[in-house]
Amino acid sequence: MKKDKNDIELERAIIQVLKDGKKETFQNIIKDMDSFDIANQYKGLPTKRRPLFVEFLSKEKLTDLLRHLNKEEQLHVLRTIGPTRSTDILEMMRNNELAFLLSGLPKTQVEKLIAEMKKEEMENLLHIMNYPPKTAGRTMTNRYLWIHTSYSVEQSIKKMKHFANLSTYLNYLYVIDDEKRLVGVVSYRDLLLAEPHARIVDIMTHSLITVNVKTNQEEVAKIIGRYDFVSIPVVDDDNLLVGIITVDNVLDIIVREANEDIEMLLASGKAIDFRTKPVVAARRRLPWLILLLFIGLVSGSIISKFEATLEQVVALAFFMPMIAGMTGNTGTQSLAVVVRGLVTDELDIKKSIKLLFRELLVGIMIGLTCAILIAIIAYVWQGSFVLGLVVGSSLLATLIIGTLAGTIIPLILHKFNIDPAVASGPLITTINDILSLLIYFGIATMFISKLM
């Protein structure tokens, strides 16, 4: 996004007060700024100005800043502010955000970061981190309000006011029984409209939609989107309330999953953005590309095996890039459609077969259109009906196969609970290159006597 004049002036003002070391002036500048804007200012600063920037921030502002940084940036900030202040910030963070920050770090580093946290906060954090990654248990927050079935409306409102600062959302109060099992939910609206002495059990909603701690986070996102919930309770196998997942948690999930899918589709596997150093970006892209480079050598060996065919009909070489490129393009298009569909829809065998049949028809229609067009071009260019037939039929077959490959591969991966995005665009393109060349030269060899 292009910066306007005000943004540039604000950036210059912040850099100047940091140079001058004017803490009070700095805090006056950013006091009414949204945490997202503060994070953007931090990211846009020269590296040498960042330590003083975070030092001048209050604990609350610093905690909010971390929510808009990636894991590497968060850890850098924590190292910058030192262990004492880091402990205060970690205790102010939501447990699910903290669990995401610490996931994947070496055990010694995790222990060092949380060593000075309060015992209760540390136990809650470790409890959340015991759940598998990308599950509701790992994503949930323990900052919610519960009330007992014996409460009155008046008691519930008093508790809500008392714990207002500790709760992520005040939209719902979750009702539990003596065994801490979830039995109902009360909305803030229900409390406002009810009489003060009314019993919670008389006004609560008994019909509940919950998710288990082991439910995949993408499934949680679908449920919240399906029912337009602001939050959803998380229960264990005994229906004990253990946390909630809020709509902002879901937005974080969607963004992270989208980024991961894009990274896998690009065969980089890890985040690369505008600030990534060239050496790091190259290192993250190279592994997949080197693998595909060797797979691509298969294409070269195929061409060498049909060298005699090429020597006899040189015009075939002209259409090679087009055949391979079109096949890869259709495969990548189908892959994108399927990956997107898997995020928004529940796929069973019936739907999968329907999708596969639809993509087959799409491949046939696209193939026929392109095949007829290229056959005419080949005939007009070389005056050979047989060359047009060979190129057109090859393109028809390869486009159908490319479309099916882009559909079948992610469906198979999904069936085995593997992220379909790992069927990266470059991988499908390389496979389709090999298949398209085999088909193209195979058909050309069959008609070689007619082509000469």
Side-chain angles (χ1 to χ4, degrees), residues 389-404:
L389 177 65
V390 167
V391 176
S393 60
S394 298
L395 186 59
L396 171 61
T398 56
L399 288 183
I400 293 172
I401 289 173
T403 303
L404 291 177

Side-chain angles (χ1 to χ4, degrees), residues 408-421:
I408 293 171
I409 290 176
L411 286 176
I412 291 174
L413 292 172
H414 179 71
K415 177 67 176 177
F416 289 97
N417 295 319
I418 301 172
D419 189 346

Side-chain angles (χ1 to χ4, degrees), residues 32-43:
D32 294 324
M33 287 176 61
D34 184 80
S35 57
F36 176 81
D37 295 324
I38 293 175
N40 277 342
Q41 289 297 327
Y42 171 79
K43 293 175 184 178

